[in-house]
Amino acid sequence: MLFAGIRFFISGIIILSIAHITHRSFGLKDGVKDKILGSSLFLLAFTLLNTTLHYASFYIGLSHSQGSRAAILNSLSVFVTVLLACLFFKSDKLTLRKVIGCAIGFTGILALNLSGGESGSITLLGDGLIILNALCGACAGLMTRGVAKRVDVFVGTGYSLSIGGALLLIPGLLMGGTLPCVTVIGIMYLLLLIGISTIAFALYNKLLTCNPVGKIAIWNSLIPVVGAVTSCLCLHETFVWNYVVAAALTTAGIYVINAQHSPK
């Protein structure tokens, strides 16, 4: 949590610095200036869901689960986002194609536990927190448009990462978190993760404000495919057969939801 706090705090500061250099507005937009308390609470809730609770759950859950398994479980957020977006946004309509695609994706997630002996059984600290992390990500994704109505989305992303990162630092330090061994390779990993957060969050949040939420969110289902493969390659984890099935089904869910009818 201490490492995550440092990562997101610095990333948020970088985004806010860029926003300042490019002369973006840091205040509330004209339509909500008379709703300071409500807007502030909304932005705080977004910060907690998008960064603090989201990544506290992810890092703790990841430490009690295999990386490949966690990557596939995390794809739950994609399908939850697609379905909830149909309830909250007129641009996202619930169709049979979306229902089928999400059903295929959920089947892929369930496929993780088809062979409990190899892939492991469900655990609260592992799978439970990864699922909580996925739900936080889904809710935060739905709130992004609300953020854009209140502040510049680039600035809102900076607020979320910097404040959310600071809120991760506090419990990390109180729980005895330290950095006992600072190495060059460790600093390189930290800088790489900061760069990923800075670029990815800024681009993703901007995309969510300009396109149907479900259409953008579903592409996150590619994460389990990459995550499962790289975990086995880099962390030397055993790649069991149900990972292949789970990754294939979640990827199929993307295709079913996004595939367009052929022109007649």
Side-chain angles (χ1 to χ4, degrees):
M1 290 179 67
L2 178 62
F3 186 86
I6 295 171
R7 170 191 175 185
F8 293 115
F9 178 75
I10 296 177
S11 179
I13 294 300
I14 292 173
I15 291 178
L16 292 176
S17 299
I18 295 173
H20 177 71
I21 293 172
T22 54
H23 306 291
R24 292 177 179 266
S25 173
F26 280 69
L28 295 175
K29 292 185 175 180
D30 292 337
V32 294
K33 284 186 176 179
D34 58 336
K35 303 176 182 178
I36 297 177
L37 179 59
S39 296
S40 298
L41 291 175
F42 183 90
L43 292 174
L44 177 60
F46 176 72
T47 295
L48 294 174
L49 288 173
N50 189 56
T51 305
T52 308
L53 184 58
H54 185 179
Y55 283 97
S57 302
F58 178 73
Y59 274 84
I60 296 174
L62 188 60
S63 67
H64 291 84
S65 177
Q66 290 189 341
S68 48
R69 181 186 180 86
I72 301 174
L73 271 176
N74 196 38
S75 66
L76 175 67
S77 66
V78 177
F79 304 104
V80 172
T81 301
V82 171
L83 294 177
L84 291 181
C86 298
L87 296 176
F88 294 100
F89 304 116
K90 293 181 179 179
S91 60
D92 291 82
K93 296 181 180 180
L94 185 63
T95 63
L96 179 60
R97 184 179 294 274
K98 287 183 178 180
V99 173
I100 294 174
C102 288
I104 293 173
F106 279 123
T107 302
I109 294 171
L110 292 176
L112 278 173
N113 297 295
L114 290 180
S115 59
E118 291 178 310
S119 61
S121 58
I122 295 176
T123 62
L124 181 60
L125 283 178
D127 296 345
L129 287 179
I130 292 294
I131 291 173
L132 177 59
N133 148 76
L135 295 177
C136 287
C139 293
L142 294 174
M143 295 175 70
T144 302
R145 286 191 181 180
V147 173
K149 291 180 180 179
R150 292 166 172 80
V151 295
D152 181 287
V153 69
F154 196 73
V155 173
T157 301
Y159 284 153
S160 170
L161 292 176
S162 58
I163 297 174
L167 292 176
L168 279 170
L169 284 170
I170 296 171
L173 291 170
L174 291 177
M175 293 165 62
T178 60
L179 299 174
C181 182
V182 179
T183 63
V184 174
I185 190 67
I187 294 174
M188 289 178 62
Y189 285 150
L190 177 60
L191 293 176
L192 178 62
L193 288 170
I194 289 171
I196 290 172
S197 299
T198 302
I199 297 171
F201 272 97
L203 290 179
Y204 183 67
N205 286 348
K206 182 62 178 178
L207 283 171
L208 288 178
T209 64
C210 303
N211 300 276
V213 173
K215 188 173 183 179
I216 297 301
I218 193 62
W219 285 95
N220 285 334
S221 288
L222 289 175
I223 293 174
V225 181
V226 178
V229 172
T230 53
S231 289
C232 294
L233 292 176
C234 301
L235 303 178
H236 307 293
E237 295 179 354
T238 302
F239 197 97
V240 294
W241 68 269
N242 46 323
Y243 287 167
V244 179
V245 174
L249 287 173
T250 51
T251 305
I254 299 178
Y255 176 79
V256 171
I257 290 176
N258 280 305
Q260 301 295 321
H261 293 290
S262 302
K264 296 181 180 180

